[in-house]
Amino acid sequence: MAFSADELRVLRRALANALHPTPLPEEDVQDCLRLAGAVDEAVSEAGRLRAFLLADLARYRDALPGSLSGYLELLQDALAAGYDPRPDDLAALRALRAGPVAAALLERCQVLAERSVRARLAGRAAAVTAPAPRRRLLALPGGLAAAKEPERPPVPPRPKQPAGPGERPMPKPSEVFPPRRRPAPAPPPEERAVS
């Protein structure tokens, strides 16, 4: 991700303010909000691009062996973007390992898949032993968080009062939805005489 010169200035001011908190002018707050929006948009665009790449990779994998060159090229691009090879990819590469490019990719994918499995297992073991505490994100002082209204004390629930002479009490569910009655059994069908 690349930042423009203006975005870097905004980021530098925000980091300086995080180190030495002071109330920010409204213009700086708006700049920070715009930068956060731009970063969010770039992240979502990267997610859409990744989803498109993975869907394209799956289409090429399903069309093998006819799409061999396209599949190998897309797989290399996906691996460069941080893709963890799936069992389908490993199976396809095993079937294609007669070619030198596919054989080299198979070795690379096996190493990446093994590393990914080990990382997941280590992550599960760490999560079971000691869950990481969640940290709250804090807004910059002087931003929108400073303009929030103070919290109001909770309102105690009203005590139930008996219905007055002109009011109807709340009906019970059995009064609103009476029990269903079973239909009376139908009389046996008359036997028809064959003529």
Side-chain angles (χ1 to χ4, degrees):
M1 181 181 297
F3 290 103
S4 70
D6 289 336
E7 290 171 335
L8 283 175
R9 275 190 227 106
V10 170
L11 189 58
R12 190 177 311 129
R13 283 194 311 252
L15 289 174
N17 192 47
L19 292 173
H20 304 287
T22 57
L24 286 174
E26 184 65 28
E27 180 180 321
D28 287 352
V29 172
Q30 292 302 320
D31 288 343
C32 288
L33 289 174
R34 277 193 293 276
L35 179 61
V39 169
D40 288 344
E41 185 178 330
V43 167
S44 69
E45 183 63 32
R48 283 195 297 268
L49 182 61
R50 180 178 172 82
F52 174 76
L53 177 66
L54 295 181
D56 215 17
L57 181 66
R59 279 194 298 276
Y60 273 79
R61 184 177 53 235
D62 292 341
L64 284 173
S67 62
L68 176 64
S69 62
Y71 172 70
L72 295 177
E73 185 179 322
L74 280 173
L75 183 58
Q76 288 174 344
D77 291 345
L79 292 174
Y83 173 69
D84 284 331
R86 297 192 175 127
D88 294 341
D89 296 311
L90 294 172
L93 288 172
R94 283 187 193 106
L96 302 169
R97 68 177 154 205
V101 176
L105 269 176
L106 176 61
E107 286 180 31
R108 182 177 174 196
C109 286
Q110 284 175 335
V111 169
L112 290 173
E114 184 177 331
R115 190 179 304 157
S116 174
V117 167
R118 286 183 186 198
R120 279 193 302 247
L121 291 176
R124 285 183 188 161
V128 169
T129 57
R134 290 183 151 214
R135 300 179 79 192
R136 292 185 57 201
L137 295 176
L138 303 175
L140 294 174
L144 295 177
K148 243 198 317 191
E149 293 181 21
E151 290 188 24
R152 297 179 186 164
V155 179
R158 293 187 348 201
K160 282 191 169 183
Q161 297 178 356
E167 297 179 34
R168 281 187 53 188
M170 180 70 76
K172 297 179 191 173
S174 62
E175 296 171 341
V176 176
F177 304 105
R180 292 185 179 214
R181 306 221 188 279
R182 295 184 185 245
E190 296 177 7
E191 292 184 20
R192 295 187 182 174
V194 180
S195 42

